[in-house]
Amino acid sequence: MNKEGQRASTGRDPVDDRELVESARKGDRDAFRTLFERYHRRAYALAFGVLRHPDDALDVVQDAFIKAHKYLDKFEGNSSFYTWLYRIVMNLAIDHLRKHRRAKPVELDEQHLEEGAAAGDDALLPKFLGGNPGRALLDKEIRARIDQALGELSENHRAVLVMRELEGMSYEEMAQAMGCSKGTIMSRLFHARKNMQKRLVDLMEGRRVTDDETEDAAASGSRG
Amino acid sequence: MKDADLMSLADGELDEREARDLEDKLARDPIARGKLDAVGELGELVRGHLELSADAVPQKKFDALWREIDKGIERASAESESTPATKNEAAPAPAGFLRRVGRWFDAHRGHIISGVVGAGAVATLALILRGPSGDNLAGTKGSHPIDTTPVSAPAEIESLDTPGGTGTVFNLEDDDGDTTVIWVTPEDTVEGI
């Protein structure tokens, strides 16, 4: 990920976000541009994760920054600038989904999900990657499968998964953003994860076999 | 141990005591521990994938995006200054397709000059080919009133051959209506330069 966002969160920036916000409020466009430079890729990743369409994601990021600038006076500084910004991005992305909702299969699982998850429905998989997601992400095929699996989730399931995994939003925050109960958020998240695991696990197992075979081949080669 | 509880633990949604109790159980339950780890791994995959996807977007796209944002801020400021306090809601930025076309133009500034030159040539050609019929329409008097109905039919020409380039005619549809665009690409234009 672009390092601007990370840089900002480490507190090593010569100019703090709050100072930039203060300057931007006074009309300093360069200060606002610096905020844009710090967070545009994170904001884009969030919008893209939810919308899955690069142009739609750019539209949402554009609107979000314009809106953020317009309402800078209302930013009280209780949270970080990015926390405030991502809520704007998320709200716009969810609005966009509502306005452009395409026909999607009914999420039958949501109706019994809470009971299923709460009643100990052993749906989550105990083994997955063998503890090396960083290595897996180097594999183009695995990334393509992740992309495909995300695309196959329903919009609601994908939205909660992205909010949770990318931004670490709490169930309560997600419930507010999506206008539903915490229980529904839990249900969506549970099924999103279960469905992602189901779609990816065969690939991961295949990859492990391949790795093992490679290691075996290397070992036998060194023996011979 | 319920999967839902494991998920809540992974997401930091349990209080301290609940989390401690569950951790104690996890120490004796390798399968449940595996599930918890798997939830974390999936999260890293999703996060990593989206971050890498964002990193793959060329910087020039974001530069073009900033220019659009800058214009949007300018527009919003101008409108809030000129509008009475009771109606200080800024008009929305031009939405959708035209905006994307604008961003595309911004990201491909290198092509604009040659495109404009080419489009100028085509416009000149169109004026010449139009000939006297345009004059006739403007000069019509008497029993045939001028038809002022806006022309909304799509362009009949879809492509043009121009000296040293290729022309394309297309319609942009937006909330504001249709706009016919004549775009000429000189033959020596190379994408990305």
Side-chain angles (χ1 to χ4, degrees):
Chain A
M1 161 58 81
N2 185 327
K3 308 29 186 188
E4 289 96 342
Q6 293 169 4
R7 218 172 358 121
S9 63
T10 59
R12 288 198 300 262
D13 282 301
V15 183
D16 182 75
D17 279 3
R18 281 164 204 260
E19 288 175 45
L20 291 169
V21 168
E22 204 48 52
S23 300
R25 273 180 181 153
K26 291 172 185 162
D28 182 345
R29 195 68 59 80
D30 288 341
F32 193 68
R33 177 160 194 173
T34 305
L35 289 167
F36 171 80
E37 293 297 339
R38 283 184 186 175
Y39 299 119
H40 63 271
R41 283 190 194 266
R42 274 179 80 178
Y44 174 84
L46 177 60
F48 177 70
V50 174
L51 300 171
R52 305 247 332 125
H53 192 290
D55 282 334
D56 289 348
L58 286 172
D59 280 350
V60 161
V61 173
Q62 180 175 327
D63 287 344
F65 273 96
I66 292 173
K67 204 166 186 178
H69 186 273
K70 185 178 172 189
Y71 293 107
L72 269 181
D73 284 342
K74 297 190 177 172
F75 172 61
E76 293 172 353
N78 296 328
S79 58
S80 72
F81 174 77
Y82 182 69
T83 303
W84 186 63
L85 178 71
Y86 88 60
R87 284 182 190 141
I88 297 175
V89 172
M90 205 59 225
N91 287 340
L92 289 172
I94 289 168
D95 277 354
H96 192 282
L97 283 182
R98 286 184 188 132
K99 281 180 196 162
H100 300 88
R101 196 174 290 278
R102 295 154 190 113
K104 275 278 168 186
V106 178
E107 290 160 359
L108 293 173
D109 49 8
E110 271 189 17
Q111 295 169 10
H112 58 80
L113 186 315
E114 283 175 57
E115 303 96 68
D121 175 9
D122 284 342
L124 294 175
L125 297 173
K127 289 261 179 185
F128 197 40
L129 279 178
N132 201 341
R135 184 178 167 190
L137 284 166
L138 296 176
D139 188 318
K140 280 184 184 173
E141 192 186 344
I142 292 180
R143 283 205 51 209
R145 283 290 296 273
I146 296 168
D147 200 56
Q148 187 187 356
L150 278 171
E152 286 169 2
L153 293 181
S154 74
E155 289 167 349
N156 285 336
H157 286 184
R158 190 170 58 249
V160 288
L161 188 66
V162 169
M163 282 190 273
R164 174 63 221 164
E165 304 301 6
L166 199 60
E167 298 301 337
M169 287 171 77
S170 70
Y171 296 167
E172 183 63 44
E173 285 174 318
M174 290 190 276
Q176 281 176 18
M178 298 200 79
C180 60
S181 70
K182 260 174 77 171
T184 301
I185 291 295
M186 283 185 72
S187 297
R188 288 176 179 172
L189 192 53
F190 184 85
H191 278 283
R193 284 170 166 158
K194 187 183 77 171
N195 290 335
M196 285 293 287
Q197 284 190 337
K198 250 197 282 185
R199 286 169 169 88
L200 294 175
V201 74
D202 61 321
L203 182 69
M204 302 308 173
E205 284 173 349
R207 191 65 37 182
R208 264 203 301 272
V209 169
T210 309
D211 288 348
D212 292 346
E213 283 169 355
T214 310
E215 283 162 17
D216 288 349
S220 63
S222 63
R223 268 182 245 122
Chain B
M1 206 175 308
K2 295 173 189 171
D3 280 3
D5 292 337
L6 288 174
M7 193 179 80
S8 296
L9 179 67
D11 293 331
E13 292 282 339
L14 298 181
D15 64 35
E16 206 176 315
R17 188 181 156 192
E18 289 171 325
R20 205 171 42 240
D21 288 349
L22 209 55
E23 288 284 2
D24 287 345
K25 289 178 189 170
L26 279 170
R28 301 185 297 273
D29 189 341
I31 292 177
R33 169 59 68 183
K35 287 184 178 185
L36 185 69
D37 292 344
V39 168
E41 285 176 350
L42 177 66
E44 284 187 46
L45 275 187
V46 171
R47 183 168 54 254
H49 171 67
L50 293 174
E51 288 178 349
L52 288 170
S53 300
D55 279 352
V57 178
Q59 183 57 38
K60 67 178 181 180
K61 278 212 168 196
F62 287 117
D63 291 342
L65 187 70
W66 168 255
R67 285 191 285 275
E68 289 297 314
I69 290 168
D70 203 32
K71 282 184 220 163
I73 291 170
E74 206 62 59
R75 202 163 36 234
S77 306
E79 287 182 13
S80 66
E81 280 168 18
S82 64
T83 313
T86 50
K87 287 186 177 180
N88 61 355
E89 193 67 18
F97 192 56
L98 277 181
R99 185 162 52 169
R100 289 174 190 176
V101 170
R103 263 200 314 254
W104 185 89
F105 280 123
D106 260 0
H108 293 76
R109 280 171 181 267
H111 307 301
I112 299 289
I113 295 171
S114 54
V116 167
V117 171
V122 171
T124 309
L125 183 64
L127 282 172
I128 293 166
L129 293 177
R130 186 169 161 230
S133 60
D135 295 341
N136 287 347
L137 179 65
T140 302
K141 288 180 184 174
S143 59
H144 302 292
I146 296 170
D147 182 6
T148 56
T149 310
V151 177
S152 58
E156 292 175 5
I157 308 168
E158 291 181 344
S159 65
L160 297 166
D161 284 330
T162 60
T166 308
T168 309
V169 182
F170 57 98
N171 284 318
L172 298 177
E173 290 180 21
D174 197 66
D175 295 342
D176 299 329
D178 289 353
T179 305
T180 301
V181 175
I182 302 170
W183 183 254
V184 177
T185 309
E187 278 169 359
D188 58 355
T189 300
V190 180
E191 183 71 22
I193 295 178

